[in-house]
Amino acid sequence: MSLSQLRVGLGRVVSARQSPFTLLAVLVAALVSAPIVALMAIAATPAAIDSLAHLADTVLPRYALTSALLALQVGFWVIAIGVPSGWMIAAYEFPGKRVLSIGLILPLAMPAFVLAYAYTDLLDVSGPLQSWLRARFDLRVGEYWFPQVRSLPGAGLFLGLALYPYVYVLARNAFAERSESLSEAARSLGLPAPLVWLRVVWPVARPAVVAGATLAMMETLADFGTVSFFAVDTFSFGIYRAWQSFGDRAAAAWLALALLATVLMLIWLERRQRGRMAFHARALRPAPPQRLRGAAALLVFVLCTIPVLAGFVLPSLVLLNSASSSPRAFDPRLLGWVWNTALLSAAAVA
């Protein structure tokens, strides 16, 4: 057998082995594209085009503005919480670090709308906190100022508390692999520590941080439970209202396509900013964590504990208190719900 015949035979073997995966990829792409094709088919009818003009004159600008404001707020909160937490876990060694490194991921297990329910129950006018304030200072409703929980800023904060682990995990890994030699070179040139962080450490982690924030913002745009509970007019809430409340499939299709266009724009922006940066390969000598003691260790511990308390522990305690005070503390349907959740999770992973 000649060398050319051997190459042809090997090529056929490789093609035969790859064909099942190619067919599977085509099938997955078809399944993913089917809803988009269906939306475009609905939106292409003459009645749907008239519905688009009506949407543009009425609710579409409000939905677009509210969705953008909410996504920006969530982007701010996930970066403000995730980046410092990731830096402190990666750069320092202190008591309780191993527990907190896992605990900071736990808010992902708390759905944003459940977290919103818990905080609303705690902070609303009829909740225990405001009731205690009125009883303690002899006040009545309207005689004092308290932040409005069911609002756009409230939705942004609670979604940020639930979604910041996207940024935390990526930032922590990027900070942990920072190059010690680059930082030493910058310090040897006389650069102060804050500028070393801004000019050497931060550029390494910025692509990962932006990717995590983009994921959180896309999750925000797709969220329905939190925005419907707070009556925030976003695209997802508008889609549900148009289809289920008014039975207007054409309006719902156009709103869904507008939401899809917004998500695609976020992905394009993330890829564009990432394309201008050189990704940092794993450092041959990653910077070792700095051991903290005394007040510095306590401060870092407290700062890393706050997101865990606010994003998981406190809402869990509120929910447990509500469940224990209910006459039906254990619902017999609970086991079925747990089983169905486990099946759906396994199917999604598979």
Side-chain angles (χ1 to χ4, degrees):
M1 180 182 292
S2 65
L3 182 60
S4 60
Q5 291 175 334
L6 179 62
R7 289 177 179 176
V8 171
L10 289 176
R12 289 176 179 175
V13 171
V14 172
S15 300
R17 290 181 178 179
Q18 288 181 346
S19 58
F21 297 101
T22 303
L23 292 175
L24 180 61
V26 171
L27 178 61
V28 171
L31 290 174
V32 172
S33 304
I36 302 175
V37 174
L39 289 174
M40 296 177 67
I42 295 173
T45 61
I49 296 175
D50 295 336
S51 180
L52 175 61
H54 177 70
L55 287 173
D57 292 336
T58 54
V59 297
L60 188 58
R62 183 171 78 251
Y63 288 160
L65 178 61
T66 306
S67 298
L69 290 176
L70 182 61
L72 289 174
Q73 289 184 46
V74 172
F76 167 79
W77 284 116
V78 297
I79 291 175
I81 300 173
V83 171
S85 301
W87 169 251
M88 288 183 286
I89 293 295
Y92 301 118
E93 193 71 40
F94 56 92
K97 171 183 173 177
R98 291 186 178 181
V99 175
L100 288 174
S101 65
I102 299 174
L104 284 163
I105 308 176
L106 289 179
L108 280 180
M110 179 72 65
F113 68 90
V114 175
L115 189 144
Y117 292 162
Y119 271 107
T120 300
D121 184 66
L122 177 65
L123 303 176
D124 212 4
V125 175
S126 59
L129 181 57
Q130 291 200 51
S131 299
W132 176 83
L133 288 174
R134 290 193 296 270
R136 177 67 177 81
F137 298 101
D138 193 22
L139 297 172
R140 296 180 180 179
V141 177
E143 294 181 349
Y144 61 96
W145 179 85
F146 198 85
Q148 182 65 34
V149 181
R150 299 193 184 193
S151 61
L152 179 63
L157 174 60
F158 298 141
L159 282 165
L161 285 174
L163 299 176
Y164 80 83
Y166 283 126
V167 173
Y168 158 71
V169 172
L170 295 175
R172 180 193 64 185
N173 294 339
F175 287 136
E177 296 181 358
R178 69 195 187 279
S179 173
E180 176 65 11
S181 59
L182 292 178
S183 299
E184 289 178 353
R187 286 192 293 267
S188 67
L189 294 175
L191 206 63
L195 290 182
V196 171
W197 194 92
L198 287 175
R199 297 183 180 181
V200 177
V201 178
W202 170 243
V204 170
R206 194 171 82 174
V209 170
V210 174
T214 303
L215 285 175
M217 293 169 73
M218 288 191 292
E219 187 85 11
T220 298
L221 292 173
D223 178 81
F224 172 74
T226 307
V227 296
S228 63
F229 182 62
F230 284 173
V232 177
D233 289 335
T234 61
F235 279 124
S236 58
F237 186 50
I239 293 168
Y240 180 85
R241 180 188 295 170
W243 199 309
Q244 297 295 327
S245 300
F246 302 120
D248 191 348
R249 293 200 310 163
W254 276 114
L255 291 174
L257 290 174
L259 176 59
L260 177 63
T262 305
V263 171
L264 291 176
M265 184 182 67
L266 280 176
I267 296 174
W268 178 78
L269 290 174
E270 189 274 334
R271 290 179 64 88
R272 183 176 176 82
Q273 69 83 31
R274 185 179 59 182
R276 295 178 177 179
M277 303 176 190
F279 278 91
H280 176 65
R282 183 177 180 86
L284 296 177
R285 187 164 63 94
Q290 178 184 353
R291 182 170 295 276
L292 299 179
R293 303 181 186 278
L298 178 61
L299 176 61
V300 171
F301 177 83
V302 170
L303 291 177
C304 289
T305 303
I306 291 175
V308 182
L309 294 176
F312 184 79
V313 176
L314 183 57
S316 299
L317 293 176
V318 173
L319 294 174
L320 288 174
N321 179 67
S322 300
S324 61
S325 60
S326 173
R328 295 182 62 185
F330 179 79
D331 194 312
R333 296 173 296 176
L334 180 61
L335 294 178
W337 296 336
V338 172
W339 176 249
N340 292 336
T341 303
L343 285 179
L344 286 174
S345 301
V349 171

